[in-house]
Amino acid sequence: MKLDAKIPAGNLADKWTEHKVHLKLVNPANKRKYHIIVVGTGLAGASASASLGELGYNVSTFCFQDSGRRAHSIAAQGGINAAKNYQNDGDSIFRLFYDTVKGGDFRAREGNVHRLAELSVNIIDQSVALGVPFAREYGGYLDNRSFGGAQVSRTFYARGQTGQQLLLGAYSAMSRQAALGTVKMYERYEMLDLVVIDGIARGIVTRNMITGKIESFTADAVVLATGGYGNVYYLSTNAKGSNATAIWRAHKKGALFANPCFVQIHPTCIPVSGDHQSKLTLMSESLRNDGRVWVPKQKGDTRKPEDVPEEERDYFLERKYPSFGNLVPRDVASRNSKMVCDEGRGVGKSKQAVYLDFRDSIKRLGKAKIEERYGNLFQMYEQITDENPYITPMRIYPAIHYTMGGLWVDYDLMSNVPGLFVLGEANFSDHGANRLGASALMQGLADGYFVIPNTMGGYLGSGGIEKVTIEHPAFKDAEAKVKQQISQLLSINGKHSVDHYHKALGKIMWDRVGMARDAEGLNKAIADIKALREDFWKNVKVLGSGEELNQSLEKAGRVIDFLELGELLAKDALHRNESCGGHFRAEYQTEENEARRDDENFSYAAAWEYTGENNEPVMHKEQLTFENIQLASRSYK
Amino acid sequence: MNLTLHIWRQKNSQDSGKFVTYQAKDVLEDMSFLEMMDVLNEELIAKGQEPVAFDHDCREGICGSCSLYINGRAHGPKQGITACQLHMRSFKDGDTIYIEPWRARAFPVIKDLIVDRTAFDRITRAGGYISARIGSAQDANAILIDHDTAESAMDAAACIGCGACVAACKNASAMLFVSAKISHLSQLPQGKPEREARALGMIAQMDKEGFGACTNTGACEAECPKEIKITHIARLNREYLRASVK
Ligand SMILES: Cc1cc2nc3c(=O)[nH]c(=O)nc-3n(C[C@H](O)[C@H](O)[C@H](O)COP(=O)(O)OP(=O)(O)OC[C@H]3O[C@@H](n4cnc5c(N)ncnc54)[C@H](O)[C@@H]3O)c2cc1C
Ligand code: FES
């Protein structure tokens, strides 16, 4: 299989404009004859549904929550980047492009990232027009803050609820289309399979989560905007329902899965408090604007933080990275926190935490200012830990947060299966081996508002898509397989709950495929995951029936997909004999414990092909070329 | 701590439902309320009994999925938080806790503690948006919005659509939810052109869904996890009046 990213030729800055001129168009009267399925109502799916509906396509949109507005995007806190240069601090489209490619440790495509930076400015305009109440200065102009990996202030925000406000904007635009009848909403519907006919994506099979009914839907194109797969680690900052089922099942129907091992671990999360822990809560990266990260210089120091004198504190990020300080990118901050904990200098009961201290900024700016900036986050922290961060420094530790990997797509955001488009966190396209803060919201909305309405026309306008019905054997076959899996899950009636398996998988993943990986641990993880999967099929216990609302059954389907995806993730990590971005292989580090990238051998995206159960996946390489940026070792010192 | 739980169990929308009593043992203070429920569910599964169904997703107070009526209060005893943010340190050993779904005609129970809140989506479709065609927007700083107006719109926009206001109201009125959206959009210059159609459309749909009338008891404001103020209802009434006389 030859992977062609179809990056348009020409100048970097003109590629997208040129490409749009050459894309095929669908005439307005014909648009409503095309049926497009969008799975997902997060930023990517809601914005795609709204923009495709506005163009006049006939859109059906699915989500597993009871309302499109509850998609995981709602939880994003800190902000969204855009190269507006409203601050006059030297920002530009090129600088945002450069920061993103460098932040991604040179494992993303130049063409895609430049388009993303170009579109970033339109996103802010569009969102304001839809009523997003971004923070404003007293003069009425939009305000900005700083995020990691950048030396300019380009992050737009709505208190600590930026994702909520952007999603409500996209959801309202989608709701308007629903009222007009161009978008039909299917809530509490879970996609359980992709249907491919003659090599082309032609529809999906779903389960109605209230009645249990299995249904098929045909389409002229299918758009997956189903989010990331961070919950393969069980504990993560993702919503409990976030899952990989849609993309994993599409993968098993032929879509390539690219760079699964590129997973982001966020440095500032509230540490685990016990075995009952069900998810981890993020403390936004924006806190690192004013909080200082430290641990005691001495090992095993059990003093209260306020009793540790200044000269006995190690502000390790400021010490090691003087030019970025506490605002180094996430992968760097996370790894350094882990290192000091491994040295025995961690704090708190579990010793798996570092301090994030606001003492100095409260002294400098006053408590009121800190409260205005981070009030809701401080409250959230106190709610969970029963400690007051205005007095005692926060305790934080890294946690799984975001997945850069995902289904492989070309420049048009189409997978290798024609007619299957993948948007948002579900695809692999823009963040390379590490995503910079405030860039996921940007990507989701760029994909949905501005890329897909163009590239969808390019695909449908090229014609050649014949009508199919749900009577086609491919639909019948997919339905039968879905039903068969459900009845199998319900019939095992073994000894362990679904959560038991999910937690066990999470532990393997975190211990061996987490922040630091090595060949020995990865091989062990692969064997352990296989064994766990076998045990699942023998001993899982799923009660109730398939013809009703059944949360254990829903989880079981998702966990079995995680049990397969986890193995691929570990294999991808094992094959990549270098350290880059979120992927840190202990064997490949410099003397100063920094990541050692290997551009000569690994400057490519690894796109894996599914070849059947118990068969080894086959890797296809998309070689990355850098024409506008000089490959350099990534330094934040 | 050990607790006695009385939990509403209802097989489906046709079933009449009843409270079932469970003992929760060795509950830790650091657990969230939903983690306490997770532990109970694991025990039920081990005994071969069906776990309790409840809606949840983000578990950090923003998605609006969780919807538990705990000891007679929407989202439980603490002010300004959702059930998923509630921690067991708010309870003490020996406590008895009643856990019910939202109760409202417009929110029928689907199963156990899960209700159907799609009425809120239909209300939004009836005008809870600004018609700004994608791609047509001018520069974001072209229309200035003073700091206080933006903040005040944000206060209203913070609504998570959980439905606690409806559950808390003796009339099961949805006025706080509707007013939050109207207040958010009508304060912004971008939202003004459609303000009349929006107020009329959303109110008409609200009535059609079977929500009750507002009699200003203020229970919604008291129970709102985002502390949305009842003054938005006054703004809604003004918007509605303005639209009706036009
Ligand atoms: C706590 C937190 C804070 C964050 N803060 C920021 C931030 O400040 N800035 C930033 O840029 N990024 C942030 N991120 C990252 C960002 O929020 C996500 O990457 C982004 O929102 C993903 O959007 P999405 O549209 O791709 O998917 P999602 O929002 O995850 O939506 C997925 C959708 O797919 C649906 N779905 C999934 N599977 C199925 C299925 N099988 N059948 C039917 N429907 C399905 C779901 O119902 C949902 O509607 C944050 C992430 C977290 C966890
Ligand atoms: S689960 Fe999201 S608000 Fe409670």
Side-chain angles (χ1 to χ4, degrees), chain A residues 46-294:
Chain A
S47 58
S49 302
S51 64
L52 293 169
E54 259 183 28
L55 285 173
Y57 292 112
N58 175 7
V59 180
S60 295
T61 301
F62 297 78
C63 69
F64 66 74
Q65 290 91 349
D66 67 331
S67 165
R69 64 179 287 158
R70 302 198 207 287
H72 164 61
S73 293
I74 201 91
Q77 302 169 350
I80 177 165
N81 288 331
K84 281 284 196 186
N85 194 28
Y86 284 159
Q87 302 296 328
N88 198 26
D89 57 359
D91 200 8
S92 63
I93 287 171
F94 188 83
R95 192 179 289 275
L96 174 54
F97 155 74
Y98 177 83
D99 286 348
T100 307
V101 173
K102 175 184 170 196
D105 221 352
F106 305 94
R107 291 291 174 266
R109 286 183 197 139
E110 283 191 341
N112 283 57
V113 177
H114 198 277
R115 173 177 66 189
L116 177 63
E118 287 169 46
L119 293 174
S120 68
V121 297
N122 305 102
I123 293 169
I124 303 303
D125 300 341
Q126 186 62 42
S127 297
V128 166
L130 287 169
V132 171
F134 284 122
R136 300 259 170 182
E137 295 166 352
Y138 280 97
Y141 290 88
L142 287 156
D143 193 17
N144 291 114
R145 52 167 60 143
S146 307
F147 256 58
Q151 286 172 314
V152 294
S153 267
R154 62 159 78 98
T155 305
F156 294 78
Y157 66 101
R159 295 195 189 144
Q161 289 122 278
T162 316
Q164 180 198 26
Q165 293 310 314
L166 290 169
L167 182 61
L168 291 181
Y171 161 79
S172 70
M174 176 174 75
S175 296
R176 184 166 82 90
Q177 293 309 311
L180 292 170
T182 57
V183 174
K184 183 156 169 39
M185 294 297 311
Y186 293 87
E187 293 102 354
R188 289 198 203 268
Y189 266 75
E190 183 158 29
M191 166 184 163
L192 293 179
D193 211 354
L194 175 76
V195 177
V196 177
I197 299 175
D198 299 331
I200 300 179
R202 294 314 310 267
I204 61 173
V205 174
T206 62
R207 179 172 180 272
N208 177 324
M209 295 160 77
I210 299 176
T211 65
K213 186 165 177 228
I214 304 298
E215 280 170 82
S216 286
F217 295 84
T218 63
D220 298 297
V222 176
V223 177
L224 298 186
T226 50
Y229 51 91
N231 279 347
V232 65
Y233 289 81
Y234 185 66
L235 287 182
S236 84
T237 61
N238 289 9
K240 287 293 284 178
S242 297
N243 70 89
T245 288
I247 54 171
W248 187 253
R249 297 190 184 187
H251 171 60
K252 291 172 86 171
K253 284 289 173 78
L256 302 182
F257 204 120
N259 299 336
C261 83
F262 289 163
V263 171
Q264 177 164 83
I265 298 181
H266 198 295
T268 56
C269 302
I270 302 179
V272 173
S273 77
D275 289 340
H276 55 265
Q277 193 85 33
S278 61
K279 78 154 278 169
L280 294 168
T281 302
L282 174 76
M283 288 285 106
S284 166
E285 177 156 312
S286 58
L287 292 168
R288 288 196 272 143
N289 272 296
D290 290 304
R292 299 179 70 193
V293 177
W294 67 276

Side-chain angles (χ1 to χ4, degrees), chain A residues 131 133, chain B residues 127-128 130 148-159 175-189 191-192 195 198-199 202 228-240:
Chain B
I130 293 172
D148 294 354
T149 303
E151 290 296 307
S152 170
M154 179 64 209
D155 286 340
C159 169
M175 282 291 270
L176 194 63
F177 167 77
V178 176
S179 71
K181 189 45 58 190
I182 296 224
S183 176
H184 158 211
L185 295 177
S186 70
Q187 288 184 73
L188 297 170
K192 292 206 195 293
R195 61 201 286 191
R198 180 179 307 122
M202 291 181 82
I228 308 270
K229 296 278 169 283
I230 201 168
T231 46
H232 296 298
I233 297 184
R235 183 175 275 122
L236 165 62
N237 286 330
R238 286 199 301 278
E239 288 288 318
Y240 187 68

Side-chain angles (χ1 to χ4, degrees), chain A residues 54 65 67 70 84 86 125-126 131 136 140 159 171 188 240-241 278-279 383-384 497 541 549 551, chain B residues 35 42 45 54-55 57-60 63 89 111 121 134-135 139-140 145 147 151 155 157 159 161 184:
Chain A
E54 259 183 28
Q65 290 91 349
S67 165
R70 302 198 207 287
K84 281 284 196 186
Y86 284 159
D125 300 341
Q126 186 62 42
R136 300 259 170 182
R159 295 195 189 144
Y171 161 79
R188 289 198 203 268
K240 287 293 284 178
S278 61
K279 78 154 278 169
Q383 217 34 264
I384 294 174
S497 70
K541 176 145 129 185
L549 191 149
Q551 292 179 316
Chain B
E35 285 167 348
E42 286 297 288
I45 294 170
F54 60 93
D55 262 329
D57 203 17
C58 73
R59 296 204 176 193
E60 51 188 61
C63 72
R89 63 181 78 90
K111 181 174 184 173
D121 294 292
I134 292 148
D139 184 86
I145 304 173
H147 173 271
E151 290 296 307
D155 286 340
C159 169
H184 158 211

Side-chain angles (χ1 to χ4, degrees), chain A residues 400-461:
Chain A
I400 298 292
H401 179 59
Y402 180 87
T403 51
M404 282 75 69
L407 293 187
W408 184 90
V409 288
D410 64 14
Y411 189 71
D412 287 341
L413 304 182
M414 188 157 86
S415 72
N416 58 304
V417 177
L420 177 68
F421 293 81
V422 192
L423 318 185
E425 193 173 339
N427 74 24
F428 90 113
S429 70
D430 295 359
H431 307 293
N434 173 59
R435 174 176 70 81
L436 290 183
S439 292
L441 303 184
M442 170 171 76
Q443 185 219 333
L445 290 179
D447 289 359
Y449 280 147
F450 301 115
V451 179
I452 194 73
N454 287 290
T455 58
M456 182 59 79
Y459 173 69
L460 296 174

Side-chain angles (χ1 to χ4, degrees), chain A residues 37 73 92 155 157 170 221 228 242 270 290-291 293 328 365 369 397 421 483 486-487 510 517 546 590 607:
Chain A
I37 285 175
S73 293
S92 63
T155 305
Y157 66 101
S242 297
I270 302 179
D290 290 304
V293 177
V328 288
L365 303 163
K369 191 79 208 165
Y397 199 65
F421 293 81
K483 286 181 187 158
I486 289 172
S487 56
W510 180 245
R517 306 157 170 183
T590 66

Side-chain angles (χ1 to χ4, degrees), chain B residues 34 55-67 75 82-85 160:
Chain B
L34 300 190
D55 262 329
H56 65 98
D57 203 17
C58 73
R59 296 204 176 193
E60 51 188 61
I62 192 74
C63 72
S65 290
C66 63
S67 43
H75 293 303
T82 51
C84 61
Q85 292 177 290
I160 58 174

Side-chain angles (χ1 to χ4, degrees), chain A residues 598-637:
Chain A
D598 178 354
D599 291 330
E600 203 165 312
N601 295 304
F602 289 96
S603 191
Y604 61 80
W608 297 88
E609 180 186 351
Y610 182 80
T611 54
E613 224 175 306
N614 303 319
N615 291 347
E616 280 303 303
V618 173
M619 199 239 297
H620 303 271
K621 289 183 187 176
E622 180 198 331
Q623 203 63 39
L624 297 167
T625 47
F626 296 90
E627 293 166 351
N628 301 277
I629 290 188
Q630 186 115 48
L631 276 168
S633 96
R634 183 162 154 258
S635 168
Y636 292 95
K637 295 222 178 238

